[in-house]
Amino acid sequence: MDKRVLSAAFGAAVAAVLAVTASASATASAGNVLTTGSPTGPAVASGDVLSASLASGSQAKIVTTQGGSSGITCNSSAFTATANSNPTAPGTATETVTAHTLSNCTTNISGATGVQSITVNNLPFAAAVTSGGALTVSAGAAGPIQTTLKINTILGVTTCVYRAGSLTATPSNTDNSLTFANQHFTKYSGPSTCPANGYFSAKYGPVRDTSQTGSPVVFVN
């Protein structure tokens, strides 16, 4: 056989092998928006429970002015959500936020002596996670996103209710976290001693799929 023909045949064979390999690699790397263990790990299944507490060394804060220092600081906070849909990436996965707690809180708001409780109302909320984007929390069927603060004062307990249209968090695959920064709440009800605004910030992580064996960490793709 002519060397040129042999060389061409060999080149064609190599090209075919490379094409098959590339196709197989693309198929293997195609994953879902939410995966466990790694970006190419198993998909989070519909109905799986995802949860996280505050990231190590962090606190949840509600300040009365954006970037301010007056407000409430909580040393304990956690959320739980249930996965609903989880399409192939890129796409948008949906969840239902079923619980969100804040506790072990202190305050330096003028006139306040302590925090009796913080309650997140109108759960469950809806949540959507977009590939390469953010997690957005919006109101569910029970009503708007609402938080009730009971603040201790020298005159008794003051109840302040706040609402937000939506909340946005930034996911990170570096430490499998979700970060809320300066999410704006406005006062819905309460006396004039309740601040007019609240800005919520917190970092949660690692987020884990507690329905799977070993509670693997969750990645957003």
Side-chain angles (χ1 to χ4, degrees):
M1 181 181 293
D2 188 280
K3 288 184 178 180
R4 289 173 296 178
V5 175
L6 181 62
S7 177
F10 179 75
V14 170
V17 170
L18 290 176
V20 171
T21 301
S23 176
S25 176
T27 301
S29 63
N32 293 72
V33 175
L34 301 176
T35 58
T36 60
S38 73
T40 57
V44 170
S46 176
D48 279 7
V49 176
L50 312 180
S51 64
S53 300
L54 289 175
S56 178
S58 68
Q59 298 171 310
K61 295 187 176 183
I62 304 170
V63 294
T64 59
T65 58
Q66 188 169 2
S69 58
S70 176
I72 294 171
T73 299
C74 298
N75 291 304
S76 300
S77 184
F79 75 84
T80 301
T82 301
N84 297 326
S85 64
N86 184 21
T88 301
T92 299
T94 61
E95 304 172 1
T96 299
V97 180
T98 56
H100 188 192
T101 59
L102 298 102
S103 59
N104 192 16
C105 304
T106 59
T107 181
N108 63 354
I109 296 174
S110 179
T113 60
V115 180
Q116 185 179 97
S117 65
I118 298 178
T119 305
V120 178
N121 309 123
N122 298 334
L123 290 161
F125 301 142
V129 189
T130 303
S131 294
L135 177 144
T136 302
V137 180
S138 54
I145 296 172
Q146 179 175 293
T147 301
T148 300
L149 281 61
K150 291 186 178 293
I151 309 297
N152 296 325
T153 72
I154 58 173
L155 299 177
V157 178
T158 298
T159 300
C160 308
V161 179
Y162 294 86
R163 286 181 173 179
S166 64
L167 303 174
T168 301
T170 302
S172 170
N173 283 347
T174 302
D175 54 4
N176 309 101
S177 65
L178 280 174
T179 300
F180 293 86
N182 294 310
Q183 298 302 292
H184 185 207
F185 285 75
T186 56
K187 187 175 78 171
Y188 173 71
S189 67
S192 60
T193 52
C194 296
N197 299 284
Y199 293 86
F200 171 71
S201 298
K203 181 178 180 179
Y204 296 92
V207 180
R208 295 184 177 275
D209 185 338
T210 60
S211 295
Q212 300 301 318
T213 302
S215 297
V217 294
V218 175
F219 288 79
V220 178
N221 305 294

